[in-house]
Amino acid sequence: METVTKIDRRVIRTKEAITKAFLDLFSKKDLEQITINDIADRANVNRGTIYLHYSDKYDLLDKLIDDHLNRLTSLCNPSGSTPLASELLPVFVYIRNHFLFFSAMLSTTRAAVFRKRLTEFVSVRVKEKLDRSNPYSGTDGELTAQFMASAFVGIVEWWVQRQMPHPPEYMAEQLRKLFEKNEVYPTQP
């Protein structure tokens, strides 16, 4: 008989409350000013409950970032055969659906760590895709990937800071056009 481990729904709700409380605080305060007591009070849990799941507020932040980057990874097309706009659309939809997280991470000057990790994350995936398709024999693939990652993060940051004035479909299509217009991404046949 196969054993399936189920995560208790109460644990999921508790972690969601802790996450929401932390992000609410992080969008208003520097990380150094946030205490575990602040998070516990806002999440309506005790300090011990937070320590069951996270070693400290830095661990909580790291796990949140890792979780969202891992989810974004699952949205990226590993084959490299999908047109760029189709590949970007699920990413913009994900960002829209997790606005609180991305707003807290990108809308403040306190978010340099997240920006750096997001840029590295995007750069690595773009480089892998460029290496597979090899369209840039005259351009350094690492520089192209860094350029595209920086442009992507800048566009996402602009979009989030302005409360997402355009739908994800529009953003994905516009970014694809910008990359193609500037010849940093091959047009699809």
Side-chain angles (χ1 to χ4, degrees), residues 12-90:
I12 293 170
R13 281 193 301 269
T14 298
K15 288 178 106 175
E16 286 173 351
I18 292 168
T19 296
K20 184 179 183 320
F22 175 76
L23 291 174
D24 285 343
L25 290 164
F26 190 71
S27 67
K28 297 173 181 99
K29 294 176 152 184
D30 287 331
L31 183 61
E32 291 72 30
Q33 296 174 330
I34 299 171
T35 66
I36 293 296
N37 281 340
D38 293 337
I39 299 167
D41 288 346
R42 185 157 300 201
N44 200 25
V45 299
N46 65 44
R47 290 172 44 92
T49 302
I50 294 175
Y51 287 120
L52 282 174
H53 303 288
Y54 309 100
S55 60
D56 56 24
K57 64 187 176 184
Y58 302 101
D59 182 45
L60 171 57
L61 178 60
D62 283 342
K63 285 181 178 172
L64 281 173
I65 292 171
D66 288 344
D67 180 52
H68 284 284
L69 292 181
N70 288 335
R71 289 182 194 184
L72 284 172
T73 298
S74 70
L75 297 173
C76 296
N77 177 15
S79 72
S81 61
T82 304
L84 183 61
S86 300
E87 197 171 297
L88 289 172
L89 179 57

Side-chain angles (χ1 to χ4, degrees), residues 113-127:
V113 171
F114 178 71
R115 276 188 212 97
K116 180 180 180 205
R117 287 186 58 188
L118 182 59
T119 302
E120 289 170 1
F121 164 81
V122 173
S123 179
V124 166
R125 269 122 200 108
V126 168
K127 176 91 169 70

